[in-house]
Amino acid sequence: MAPKRVLSPPTVKSPTPKPPKVLSQLSAEAYEGSVKMSCMCESSVREVVWFVNGRRLSQSSHFEMQYSEGSCCLLIHNLEDSDQGEYTCELTAEGGISKSSFSFTGQVFQSIRMKAMMSSMMESSSFSSMAAEMKFETMSMSSMSSVASESYAVSSSSLTEMSSQMEGASFRAISCAPRIEALPEDISIQPGKVLTVACAFSGDAKNIEWSRGGKKIEVTAGGRFHIETTEDLTTLIITGVKEEDAGTYTLRLSNELGSDSATVHISIRSM
């Protein structure tokens, strides 16, 4: 009688680990008087390392690094001209390494630096105002009577005039055509890299459109093209750059009062 054949259980292959997925590309903004660079990634990241111009950064009073559940942040305190450069967030997981970069130079640097300075000044002004209010509240009733007896009253007509001036100033601030302040003319990049094209602008940009060859760039879930926009900065991001991505890209800003546009030429260099 022939022996029974014993069948081995089927081999189940474990999925091959992949590099961490970058969910939101690196960008920069003014944050409480400092500059905050941030990107989002999968929470399976084992290590996060920051670089500027290829030099690894260390935690210090100038560079503050934070990571929490896929949110990677770099805070730059007391910003200096020497902080300009190409910043890279390197993410390491079991399956490999992913990177996201941001060019923090030129007009982009100056624009964000100005916003950080204004934010810091507003905080200082707010603190002074709070201190003045606290001091006022601690004044005795006799002191308040003394102050009230002096001629600090403002007539209703003066208040109306001040209100009109403030409204007019506010209206002028937002009612102007947008203008492109800085956009690189030519960018060369290797295939497979992440391309970041940042443009600083001024004015009230109600409509922001990136296009290529007259065709509007559409952002889709899971696609390679991403557009991120803040109050005065719009960024076109192309992940996994391919040779077919080469060409001339146009940025157009517009509102009811006018428009502005500029182009940037992207070339893909061979490995």
Side-chain angles (χ1 to χ4, degrees):
M1 185 175 178
K4 292 183 178 180
R5 297 179 62 188
V6 179
L7 298 177
S8 301
T11 303
V12 178
K13 293 184 178 180
S14 301
T16 303
K18 296 181 179 180
K21 185 176 182 181
V22 178
L23 304 177
S24 176
Q25 295 296 328
L26 188 62
S27 61
E29 62 179 336
Y31 179 78
E32 297 182 354
S34 300
V35 172
K36 178 181 179 181
M37 294 195 180
S38 61
C39 65
M40 293 292 296
C41 64
E42 293 176 329
S43 57
S44 59
V45 169
R46 232 171 23 192
E47 183 183 26
V48 178
V49 181
W50 290 88
F51 297 87
V52 57
N53 297 328
R55 175 175 62 88
R56 181 169 178 167
L57 299 177
S58 301
Q59 187 88 299
S60 65
S61 58
H62 188 59
F63 293 110
E64 180 183 348
M65 303 167 200
Q66 301 174 352
Y67 174 78
S68 176
E69 299 181 355
S71 176
C72 310
C73 296
L74 172 67
L75 290 172
I76 308 176
H77 303 293
N78 301 318
L79 192 67
E80 302 172 352
D81 286 335
S82 57
D83 291 322
Q84 296 189 70
E86 184 81 10
Y87 283 78
T88 300
C89 182
E90 184 179 278
L91 314 166
T92 303
E94 183 181 355
I97 297 175
S98 295
K99 298 180 181 180
S100 182
S101 298
F102 180 79
S103 182
F104 191 43
T105 59
Q107 186 64 35
V108 174
F109 173 86
Q110 297 297 341
S111 175
I112 296 177
R113 182 184 195 180
M114 183 63 67
K115 290 183 67 177
M117 292 173 62
M118 291 177 64
S119 174
S120 179
M121 291 172 61
M122 289 176 66
E123 288 179 6
S124 299
S125 175
S126 176
F127 179 80
S128 300
S129 178
M130 288 174 62
E133 289 177 8
M134 292 174 65
K135 184 177 180 181
F136 181 78
E137 289 175 359
T138 58
M139 293 174 66
S140 64
M141 291 300 293
S142 58
S143 298
M144 291 177 68
S145 299
S146 175
V147 171
S149 66
E150 299 187 25
S151 56
Y152 286 123
V154 180
S155 67
S156 59
S157 60
S158 297
L159 286 171
T160 303
E161 183 180 352
M162 290 171 62
S163 177
S164 299
Q165 291 175 351
M166 291 176 67
E167 290 178 1
S170 175
F171 180 79
R172 286 191 297 273
I174 63 172
S175 296
C176 58
R179 189 177 75 173
I180 294 174
E181 301 291 350
L183 181 68
E185 295 182 358
D186 298 283
I187 296 178
S188 178
I189 191 170
Q190 290 182 344
K193 300 290 186 179
V194 176
L195 174 66
T196 301
V197 186
C199 171
F201 63 86
S202 60
D204 187 20
K206 291 287 184 66
N207 304 301
I208 299 176
E209 180 180 293
W210 288 89
S211 61
R212 179 188 173 198
K215 184 178 180 181
K216 181 181 178 181
I217 294 175
E218 300 290 347
V219 177
T220 58
R224 295 188 304 110
F225 290 81
H226 309 270
I227 298 173
E228 297 180 358
T229 301
T230 60
E231 186 179 347
D232 57 2
L233 188 72
T234 179
T235 306
L236 171 66
I237 302 166
I238 307 176
T239 60
V241 170
K242 301 179 180 180
E243 291 187 1
E244 63 217 47
D245 294 328
T248 300
Y249 291 74
T250 300
L251 169 64
R252 185 176 186 274
L253 311 176
S254 65
N255 63 14
E256 298 85 348
L257 299 178
S259 63
D260 194 12
S261 63
T263 59
V264 53
H265 181 73
I266 308 298
S267 61
I268 312 300
R269 58 178 185 269
S270 57
M271 300 289 288

